[in-house]
Amino acid sequence: MPQFPPDLREILAGARRVSVLTGSGVSAESGVPTFREAQTGLWARYHPEDLATPAAFERNPGLVWEWYAWRQDMIRQAQPNPAHLALVEMERHYPSFTLITQNVDGLHERAGSQNILELHGNILRARCVQEGTIVASWQNAVGGLPQCPHCGGLLRPDVVWFGEALPQETLDLAWHVAQNCDLFFSIGTSSVVHPAASLPYLALQNQIPVVEINPHETPLTRQADYQLPGPAGVVLPALVKEVWG
Ligand code: BV8
């Protein structure tokens, strides 16, 4: 059972408005490889930054769809883990709780979290390249690529690729809650992908306590007020138990 700094318990118990930023480390214990690890086996020769881009899709939509189909299958078989469930429990204890996620796996929603901001979209949805329609299920054209059920056009994964703008309304809301909360968590993210990675710094600039949960150091670690080393699936349930029994 991890030991927590005594004052952290008071801060958690006394907080009213909590903002949480999660990255793929939160889904690691569900068996979903983190973004940097997602390159195993078949995909070892590619970098995510080379596949998750408009240029890659333009160049070879079949290859990009193969990668996403591989990830979708994995995610459909995955279950929310104790980290996701602890965040659902935490949300119940605070009058205001916003879960800002970089993850595209939908596991926070499946776990039961309510107030979620999906900064980078959702891999289980697709979007029509021609008309922008969002679909949750689709067929492939005969021997071809995922096809829009409305216009027959090409579908793409409904995620934000490198070089693409994040959904502005969602990002604006994330900016707002990062600066207007009384406690900010950064959990399971390498803190290198922007603009998401800048959110904890906004909290720090507003003298809001920042807690990082990650088994490894990140660029945020030295500036965070608290760094709880360990897997989110162990640390978060222990934190919830420590504060709320
Ligand atoms: C944009 C969806 C502009 C797709 C993803 C400023 C500075 C530097 C660079 C930039 C900048 N501004 C923009 C950029 C460029 C770029 C960027 O940040 N590049 C990086 C690589 C340097 N950003 C962009 O391109 C963004 N767009 O800025 O557009 C613009 C504006 C207007 C008009 C046009 C354009 C878009 C970024 C979004 C990219 N899409 N995902 C898909 O999933 O296929 S990003 C992808 O990587 C993930 O979604 C995630 O957000 C991101 C980072 O991954 P992490 O979640 O952190 O995962 P990672 O594997 O890196 O780390 C896992 C962590 O978990 C580790 O720390 C590990 O220790 C920890 N861990 C492991 N196990 C556990 C654990 N933690 C807890 N418990 C465990 N058990």
Side-chain angles (χ1 to χ4, degrees):
M1 172 75 93
Q3 293 303 315
F4 301 112
D7 54 343
L8 178 60
R9 189 196 176 292
E10 299 319 313
I11 291 174
L12 263 82
R16 312 280 305 151
R17 291 164 300 149
V18 174
S19 303
V20 179
L21 173 68
T22 62
S24 60
V26 161
S27 298
E29 289 150 275
S30 295
V32 179
T34 62
F35 207 78
R36 300 281 171 279
E37 290 161 13
Q39 307 320 313
T40 52
L42 175 65
W43 301 101
R45 60 184 179 285
Y46 298 99
H47 289 289
E49 285 82 4
D50 298 337
L51 283 168
T53 69
F57 190 69
E58 183 80 30
R59 192 171 47 246
N60 189 341
L63 175 68
V64 171
W65 262 117
E66 250 185 80
W67 184 51
Y68 278 91
W70 172 67
R71 291 171 63 195
Q72 284 162 348
D73 287 350
M74 202 166 16
I75 284 162
R76 286 199 179 94
Q77 291 163 51
Q79 293 302 321
N81 70 63
H84 296 108
L85 299 174
L87 288 165
V88 174
E89 175 68 24
M90 278 174 72
E91 185 169 16
R92 290 196 189 105
H93 291 287
Y94 291 114
S96 165
F97 185 94
T98 309
L99 179 50
I100 308 161
T101 190
Q102 301 173 86
N103 298 342
V104 296
D105 58 30
L107 286 174
H108 285 305
E109 189 179 0
R110 277 177 52 196
S113 288
Q114 300 294 310
N115 190 21
I116 304 170
L117 298 178
E118 286 185 325
L119 292 181
H120 295 158
N122 187 310
I123 197 172
L124 299 177
R125 296 190 303 259
R127 188 167 78 235
C128 177
V129 172
Q130 272 69 31
E131 25 167 66
T133 313
I134 306 276
V135 294
S137 63
W138 56 86
Q139 306 290 329
N140 283 13
V142 175
L145 296 169
Q147 187 175 40
C148 174
H150 302 274
C151 74
L154 178 61
L155 290 176
R156 56 161 283 175
D158 187 28
V159 297
V160 178
W161 280 329
F162 287 98
E164 292 188 319
L166 277 63
Q168 196 57 51
E169 203 177 309
T170 307
L171 184 56
D172 290 347
L173 205 41
W175 283 154
H176 176 75
V177 296
Q179 303 174 74
N180 294 279
C181 59
D182 43 31
L183 180 57
F184 190 98
F185 283 89
S186 177
I187 307 173
T189 177
S190 55
S191 292
V192 295
V193 173
H194 288 267
S198 53
L199 290 167
Y201 299 97
L202 282 177
L204 288 169
Q205 284 157 21
N206 286 275
Q207 288 70 50
I208 297 165
V210 169
V211 182
E212 181 181 51
I213 300 176
N214 195 317
H216 303 112
E217 281 214 4
T218 75
L220 176 66
T221 305
R222 292 189 193 295
Q223 298 186 54
D225 298 276
Y226 300 93
Q227 208 285 338
L228 306 181
V234 171
V235 173
L236 275 170
L239 209 48
V240 167
K241 189 167 172 54
E242 168 100 359
V243 179
W244 293 289

